[in-house]
Amino acid sequence: MAKTIADLLIDSLLNAGVKRIYGIVGDSLNAVLDSVRRSGRIEWIGVRHEEVAAFAAGADSLLNNSIAVCAGSSGPGNLHLINGLYDCNRSRIPVLAIAAHIPSSEIGSEYFQQTRPELIFKDCAHFVETVQRPEQMPLMVNMAMQQAIAKQGVSVLVLPGDVAGLDDNAAVPEVPVHVAKPVVRPSDEDLNRLAAYLNEGKKVTLLCGAGCAGAHDQIMELCNKLKSPMVVALRGKEFLEYDNPYYAGLTGLIGYSSGYDAMMECDTLLMLGTDFPYRQFYPKNAKVLQVDIRSEHLGRRTPLTLGVVGDVKDTVEALLPLIEEKNNSKHLDKHVKAYQKVREGLDELAVGKPGRKPIHPQYLTKLVSDLADEDAVFTCDVGTPTLWAARYLQMNGKRRLLGSFNHGTMANALPQAIGAAIAQPGRQVVALCGDGGLSMLMGDLLTLRQHKLPVKAVVFNNTALSFVELEMKAAGYPETGTGLDSPNFAAIAEAMEMKGIRVEDPADLEGALREAFEHDGPAIIDVAVNRQELSLPPKITYEQAHGFTLWMLKAVLNGRGNELIELAKTNLIR
């Protein structure tokens, strides 16, 4: 039987180690689906919304450290991929998206479902090209995968449905992509300059991000020699929080005062593998040094004294012999002790007294952390689930924490959990979902059922877009449009023939979580949590304090003084 362009596509994916494609079928994908069927070696993972396919592919890629693939049919189908692809590209996750297109003879005629995918995807992908002739394959798909791997991001292959079915008997390379692992570190001159600044500094603080993955031991040794506290950006939490006697906590809007102070009080700040975006949290009078694998990141968040290009692990290993060990640990001791005090305060808030409703979200998140497997994969929706995950999920070097930490979209937790559960079957996957986020892509609860994925979805049901409410309060605006008439998600799960548990009393929470975690199949735990829970940033500005006072005044004037009473009861009485 003659091969088609679709066959060459699938053969190339198989030779690159791809095991599955996430997506929704459509007639423009018919040739591709038929090739998947005939190959018998690649799985089609059907979802209910293409956005879910893109997020799931991203989680699959992250956990398996390999390229993953999603697909959308022509027009609206591949348009639905775009939000998930933006997230993957901004998080530096290699994903190939197959964007099916209208018949090639109709391009430019305003045909049914016509879009301009080569323009639409340009801003969220490193590579966007259209297959127009058999002679372009399999080179085109191999180039797309190589670009995604080399640049750590998204490639989009636009494939008209009729072109996919054309005959093409070209040979497919046995090794279509090449995963290079070069040693990348600064020049000796740059290393000596970097070491000189660090040796000169009296109070050095490290700010570490996701680029520190795999460099835990080297960074600990560096902190020891410099007697430096370590502040961690959220994406670095899973790689550095554990076994860390130098930990001063997180910084940023969901961070701690200890992390904020450790940065503001240093005379030298060393940024390692982080593109932390919030300029107001950087020190104004310190020397700032930055190590990043991407030179375009140097100095784009705060003015630098020195910026060097290198992989964090390779750079720190080469830097360590040049560092003079410091004897004075006052700066380190002060901020580590401050973090320990902050940690005690946070844990004091994570309580649940029988009968006292609604449940504190801190208590829920701490219980999830305590009861989950030691190698669990957690996903968290943007908003308060990310906030509580950052503060209460304990990382140990085996657990993973996935979220939309750069792109900041709603509704990412369930789709990423789907990809995680498929990528690593047998590993516990827990999705921390907001009621707003879950309801946005709730149809893909059916994907859990269809593929029998034992994901545990914990719903923070506070009947509001509560993080937006906090932002409104801080800016002095009465909450408008944030309330949600959220249903009983456990009842919805039961209607879908999955396990659903509704929890309203703190006394029932631990037992409900244990029951769900032990259940052999998907489970939705719908927890009524407190809408009025405050989460204070590490430093409150005058503008925020003024805005909050203004909000209280407006609340009273608008006849909503009862909200102030509930706010006080929630945050002052435990």
Side-chain angles (χ1 to χ4, degrees), residues 152 164 345 421 570:
Q152 294 290 285
T570 294

Side-chain angles (χ1 to χ4, degrees), residues 248 257-258 261 333-343:
S257 58
S258 56
D261 292 339
D333 296 340
K334 175 183 178 180
H335 296 293
V336 169
K337 194 171 295 183
Y339 166 70
Q340 292 169 348
K341 185 175 181 181
V342 167
R343 183 74 261 164

Side-chain angles (χ1 to χ4, degrees), residues 229-513:
M230 184 195 302
V231 180
V232 176
L234 178 56
R235 290 186 65 215
K237 172 182 168 75
E238 61 176 324
F239 307 117
L240 295 169
E241 181 182 68
Y242 65 97
D243 297 339
N244 188 345
Y246 312 99
Y247 191 56
L250 302 169
T251 189
L253 297 172
I254 60 176
Y256 316 138
S257 58
S258 56
Y260 177 86
D261 292 339
M263 286 178 60
M264 290 301 172
E265 296 178 15
C266 71
D267 61 21
T268 306
L269 177 68
L270 174 60
M271 299 169 61
L272 294 176
T274 181
D275 191 36
F276 180 71
Y278 302 107
R279 297 179 186 181
Q280 66 269 37
F281 290 94
Y282 284 97
K284 298 295 185 289
N285 301 313
K287 294 175 181 176
V288 182
L289 318 170
Q290 185 176 3
V291 177
D292 203 289
I293 194 70
R294 301 176 73 176
S295 59
E296 65 268 27
H297 284 185
L298 298 179
R300 76 173 181 176
R301 302 305 183 190
T302 190
L304 298 181
T305 305
L306 176 65
V308 300
V309 176
D311 171 79
V312 171
K313 182 178 180 180
D314 296 337
T315 300
V316 174
E317 283 181 341
L319 180 66
L320 281 168
L322 306 176
I323 297 298
E324 300 166 2
E325 185 162 356
K326 300 184 187 298
N327 296 316
N328 189 333
S329 64
K330 286 184 179 179
H331 178 61
L332 169 64
D333 296 340
K334 175 183 178 180
H335 296 293
V336 169
K337 194 171 295 183
Y339 166 70
Q340 292 169 348
K341 185 175 181 181
V342 167
R343 183 74 261 164
E344 290 174 4
L346 289 172
D347 289 342
E348 287 172 1
L349 297 175
V351 295
K353 294 184 178 179
R356 181 166 289 174
K357 306 175 185 179
I359 294 167
H360 292 298
Q362 299 97 318
Y363 179 56
L364 168 59
T365 316
K366 187 176 186 303
L367 275 180
V368 168
S369 181
D370 291 345
L371 297 174
D373 291 350
E374 65 172 10
D375 66 344
V377 178
F378 299 100
T379 66
C380 55
D381 269 336
V382 163
T384 50
T386 290
L387 168 68
W388 305 128
R391 294 186 175 184
Y392 289 97
L393 291 183
Q394 294 298 308
M395 298 292 108
N396 58 11
K398 298 177 182 178
R399 290 176 165 182
R400 298 300 308 270
L401 176 61
L402 313 183
S404 183
F405 302 138
N406 285 344
H407 188 47
T409 182
M410 289 178 63
N412 60 283
L414 176 63
Q416 289 176 324
I418 288 169
I422 289 172
Q424 299 200 345
R427 190 171 183 181
Q428 187 184 59
V429 179
V430 181
L432 305 183
C433 303
D435 51 344
L438 180 61
S439 58
M440 187 177 283
L441 287 173
M442 189 165 58
D444 272 274
L445 287 174
L446 292 167
T447 301
L448 302 183
R449 174 188 164 186
Q450 181 165 338
H451 295 286
K452 299 179 173 57
L453 303 176
V455 169
K456 316 306 177 188
V458 179
V459 186
F460 289 66
N461 194 340
N462 52 23
T463 66
L465 299 173
S466 56
F467 200 83
V468 179
E469 285 189 340
L470 289 172
E471 292 170 326
M472 285 183 167
K473 289 181 175 112
Y477 294 104
E479 306 95 298
T480 304
T482 57
L484 300 174
D485 185 10
S486 293
N488 180 336
F489 290 99
I492 291 175
E494 292 289 343
M496 293 180 175
E497 300 179 356
M498 294 185 292
K499 189 172 189 63
I501 305 173
R502 169 79 174 182
V503 187
E504 298 179 358
D505 192 319
D508 303 325
L509 184 56
E510 181 174 346
L513 288 172

Side-chain angles (χ1 to χ4, degrees), residues 59-128:
D60 190 323
S61 175
L62 266 180
L63 293 179
N64 285 335
N65 197 28
S66 62
I67 191 167
V69 181
C70 59
S73 57
S74 61
N78 62 56
L79 274 178
H80 283 160
L81 294 170
I82 199 162
N83 193 44
L85 294 181
Y86 259 98
D87 187 86
C88 292
N89 206 47
R90 297 194 67 186
S91 299
R92 301 193 67 207
I93 303 171
V95 168
L96 171 65
I98 302 167
H101 200 15
I102 63 172
S104 58
S105 61
E106 298 291 351
I107 293 174
S109 70
E110 294 296 323
Y111 190 72
F112 177 66
Q113 293 189 328
Q114 178 174 323
T115 57
R116 300 281 299 278
E118 69 279 3
L119 298 180
I120 290 168
F121 292 102
K122 194 171 183 180
D123 194 46
C124 67
H126 296 296
F127 178 98
V128 186

